[in-house]
Amino acid sequence: LWLNRFYYVFGFLALVFVILAITCAEITIVMVYFQLCYEDYRWWWRSFFISGSSGFHLFLYSIFYFFTTLKIRAFWSTVIYFAWMIVISYTFAVVTGTIGFLASFVFVRFIYASIKVD
């Protein structure tokens, strides 16, 4: 395929995405559980923002990377870099936020389905 060599990057990328999804789900479920223990039942948006905040962290790291590693001096190159990083960070936040929300939704449905009302 690629000069008769195996190409492992896509398998490794899929494995890292699965680990990211599991981590987002676990962290969000734990935080929503703590929120429900304090009888705060407004967990819907908070579950999205808990794991979606990783997109904000990604954007902050891109700013750090720009000033410490990249040697971009042209104005429009800088604008294009930050415009694409905003798009990528927003997409990353939506993906991880959706994973966290869906995991919390399943968790809350599961724990409240086991309560018996007499």
Side-chain angles (χ1 to χ4, degrees), residues 84-96:
W84 275 110
M85 285 313 301
I86 287 172
V87 170
I88 291 169
S89 299
Y90 177 75
T91 305
F92 190 74
V94 169
V95 168
T96 55

Side-chain angles (χ1 to χ4, degrees), residues 1 6 9 11 26 30-31 33-35 38 40 46 49 53 64-65 70 75 83 89-90 97 105 111:
L1 189 56
F6 291 107
V9 173
E26 287 177 347
V30 168
M31 296 304 288
Y33 178 74
F34 286 150
Q35 182 177 354
Y38 288 119
D40 185 5
R46 192 169 295 170
F49 290 128
S53 64
F64 172 76
Y65 185 77
L70 295 179
F75 174 74
S89 299
Y90 177 75
F105 186 77
I111 63 171

Side-chain angles (χ1 to χ4, degrees), residues 27-29 31-32 34-36 38-53 97 100-101 104:
I27 293 297
T28 307
I29 286 172
M31 296 304 288
V32 166
F34 286 150
Q35 182 177 354
L36 292 174
Y38 288 119
E39 297 179 1
D40 185 5
Y41 298 105
R42 297 171 299 179
W43 61 270
W44 292 75
W45 281 106
R46 192 169 295 170
S47 68
F48 182 82
F49 290 128
I50 286 170
S51 58
S53 64
F101 171 74
S104 298

